[in-house]
Amino acid sequence: IQLDGDRIERVVEKPAVTDTVNAGIYVFRWSALSLIPDGRAFELPDLLNKATGSGYRVVAYPFSGTWIAIDRMDQLSDAAKAMGVERP
């Protein structure tokens, strides 16, 4: 649904979603870690945005294969099973 405030302007049935997501493994130069402020929470998107704004070359590796979220230990076990590994 495309909105103008709360007013529906257009309905698109089953639109194709083509957004690129931020997920995976990150590699940084040691010097980029100095961009993380001391004493407060600082999320990875904040670091990526600060790095790009500070002149660091930040690049992506497009991946179109199977992606499995592993944020918790139970997800690690599920991912191992999905890949045919008996024990992670």
Side-chain angles (χ1 to χ4, degrees):
I1 297 176
Q2 294 176 346
L3 299 174
D4 179 10
D6 64 351
R7 188 174 140 260
I8 295 175
E9 288 192 332
R10 183 170 179 236
V11 176
V12 180
E13 186 68 24
K14 297 182 180 106
V17 178
T18 59
D19 291 335
T20 303
V21 300
N22 172 33
I25 299 170
Y26 305 92
V27 178
F28 294 95
R29 293 186 180 277
W30 283 109
S31 61
L33 301 180
S34 68
L35 299 172
I36 301 172
D38 291 331
R40 71 175 182 90
F42 197 70
E43 300 283 336
L44 185 59
D46 298 327
L47 178 56
L48 293 172
N49 289 329
K50 194 167 186 180
T52 58
S54 297
Y56 282 87
R57 182 172 177 256
V58 179
V59 299
Y61 176 79
F63 177 73
S64 60
T66 301
W67 174 76
I68 302 171
I70 304 175
D71 300 320
R72 301 184 314 268
M73 287 304 294
D74 61 312
Q75 291 172 322
L76 177 59
S77 180
D78 292 344
K81 288 177 192 171
M83 299 193 65
V85 177
E86 286 190 31
R87 187 172 183 176

